Amino acid sequence: MLALENYKILLLVLFASQSCGNNGQKTGGDTSHLVDHHAEIITYKSDSTNELVLNFRDHSYFYKETNLPLKAGEDVGYENQSRGSFVIKNDTLTFFSQMPSQLDFKTDWSTSTEFLLLYQTNEELDTNSVKIYFDNIAEPQYYQAFELANGRVEKLAVKACVTDGDFGWIKTENDQIPLYQYLIIEKPKSNKLLIIDSVNTAHSYFFDFDHIPFRSFHFFTRAYWSYYDFTGLTFVLTDNRLKLTENNRLGRYQHSNINLTFLKQ
């Protein structure tokens, strides 16, 4: 939890410094009129199936979307979640998602019996590259890479895409993880890497290399099967509503309840 708190503080400082450095221009005023200080934890809904909870005390958020079958014989229901932090600039909220589970990089993956999102591969790379292996449900040939810096996204070069190789295994305490598909990506100068699936745009993955101490690893996309990454998404906040903007959206959540207007409850 200490690492998460430090991460939130880092993001707040980053965006605050950006606001102050805009050629001395006014930022557009205070957002205190947008927040009910008697209800610092505020719930918004865009549909009967979802809720977005904003905690203005610590700038954290939690999103939950539940779909239950209406009657026997229909497809099973699902519940998708997302959690993380947000920063406020004028009337705009920018979101940064945590990974689905906490990462402890002091863990020795070779002896760990816990499921880990990332497994280091200890490969030598040039200083300007990142190599990510993906699990068997991933389709990295459709992935695009972006750098997140100063509140904006810039496209990164995908230097190599291999989807049918055989590069051995990672042996853990109770498993063997095959290595057979990977991307080599230009390393973002900001250390903030966002990967987006250009086919299934509800799938995106955020890697913060200020907190990931290695640049070659295996990544389990299946951990995001029922999890949304909102990193970089911006919402406009008014007194009673919240609306997703096109800024940094990159086609994500086009046909989703997340694209509808969220109303304060």
Side-chain angles (χ1 to χ4, degrees), residues 22-236:
N22 255 348
N23 298 323
Q25 296 179 353
K26 294 182 180 179
T27 60
D30 189 356
T31 58
S32 59
H33 65 289
L34 300 176
V35 179
D36 181 0
H37 292 287
H38 297 289
E40 293 176 316
I41 299 177
I42 301 176
T43 298
Y44 294 83
K45 296 176 73 70
S46 69
D47 185 84
S48 61
T49 64
N50 71 357
E51 65 177 17
L52 175 61
V53 181
L54 302 182
N55 186 332
F56 288 92
R57 184 181 306 131
D58 63 4
H59 288 185
S60 65
Y61 82 88
F62 175 73
Y63 177 80
K64 181 172 69 173
E65 181 178 297
T66 305
N67 183 33
L68 298 176
L70 297 177
K71 57 186 178 181
E74 291 187 342
D75 290 341
V76 296
Y78 66 85
E79 180 175 291
N80 289 337
Q81 296 185 3
S82 181
R83 65 183 64 85
S85 61
F86 62 88
V87 295
I88 304 176
K89 181 181 178 183
N90 299 335
D91 60 349
T92 301
L93 275 62
T94 302
F95 284 64
F96 297 86
S97 295
Q98 300 174 22
M99 283 187 163
S101 61
Q102 289 292 94
L103 294 178
D104 181 2
F105 294 109
K106 296 179 181 179
T107 299
D108 184 349
W109 55 260
S110 63
T111 59
S112 175
T113 58
E114 300 294 326
F115 171 80
L116 303 177
L117 287 178
L118 308 180
Y119 290 85
Q120 185 177 6
T121 58
N122 296 307
E123 297 180 65
E124 291 189 5
L125 295 171
D126 68 77
T127 58
N128 296 317
S129 297
V130 173
K131 186 174 185 178
I132 305 177
Y133 291 90
F134 296 91
D135 56 23
N136 61 347
I137 68 170
E139 296 182 299
Q141 65 270 31
Y142 301 121
Y143 291 174
Q144 296 179 322
F146 299 88
E147 176 178 14
L148 186 64
N150 299 320
R152 302 177 60 187
V153 290
E154 299 290 342
K155 195 165 186 179
L156 294 170
V158 175
K159 299 180 178 181
C161 175
V162 177
T163 59
D164 58 354
D166 182 3
F167 307 103
W169 303 76
I170 295 176
K171 295 184 179 180
T172 69
E173 179 70 16
N174 55 3
D175 199 4
Q176 287 188 327
I177 303 170
L179 302 175
Y180 63 88
Q181 56 178 352
Y182 66 80
L183 295 179
I184 297 179
I185 300 168
E186 174 188 358
K187 183 180 181 294
K189 295 179 180 178
S190 67
N191 281 339
K192 307 294 188 287
L193 170 64
L194 182 64
I195 292 178
I196 297 177
D197 187 331
S198 62
V199 174
N200 187 347
T201 56
H203 290 168
S204 61
Y205 315 106
F206 178 53
F207 303 91
D208 186 349
F209 289 99
D210 285 332
H211 299 274
I212 300 174
F214 37 80
R215 291 182 295 109
S216 67
F217 53 88
H218 180 276
F219 170 60
F220 275 110
T221 63
R222 68 186 65 183
Y224 283 75
W225 190 258
S226 59
Y227 192 83
Y228 288 142
D229 182 274
F230 288 172
T231 299
L233 293 181
T234 61
F235 290 78
V236 172

